[in-house]
Amino acid sequence: TRGHAFTAEDIWRARMIEALMCDFQIRAEEFIADHGFDAGRLARLFAPVAARFGKMVECDATGLRITPEGRPLTRMIARMFDSYDMAASGHSAAI
């Protein structure tokens, strides 16, 4: 058998990355309703992003938003939510 069985974490991480890449924001209400998150869990997920990217993102109780100035960094910001970071494994970026 080939393939990958997605975990619940894989699904919500993929949705966060999709939301950032398409809408430039993660809406807290969506993750609270659809994935059973609470405000504290979201705050813990968003804190490292806000610390690393500063004024390029806005983070509050409604969610995380990439500012217009931060949009050129969207891929870098979204990558913060990727648990399968290939850079750490030594593979080239093309893989």
Side-chain angles (χ1 to χ4, degrees):
T1 302
R2 300 184 88 176
H4 178 79
F6 291 105
T7 66
E9 182 177 345
D10 291 334
I11 293 167
W12 63 256
R13 284 185 181 276
R15 179 62 192 124
M16 283 188 175
I17 292 168
E18 177 186 20
L20 286 173
M21 297 293 289
C22 296
D23 304 325
F24 303 108
Q25 65 181 328
I26 297 171
R27 291 182 179 91
E29 65 186 23
E30 174 186 345
F31 286 86
I32 291 169
D34 296 348
H35 301 282
F37 281 42
D38 60 36
R41 184 175 183 189
L42 285 173
R44 288 187 300 277
L45 284 168
F46 295 163
V49 178
R52 180 169 180 189
F53 291 99
K55 294 181 181 180
M56 300 296 169
V57 297
E58 295 173 346
C59 183
D60 58 27
T62 63
L64 178 85
R65 287 167 303 288
I66 301 174
T67 64
E69 297 81 19
R71 289 186 180 176
L73 304 176
T74 298
R75 286 181 178 269
M76 292 174 60
I77 295 167
R79 189 175 181 178
M80 296 283 294
F81 296 99
D82 187 357
S83 64
Y84 297 101
D85 184 4
M86 296 301 287
S89 67
H91 294 287
S92 70
I95 294 179

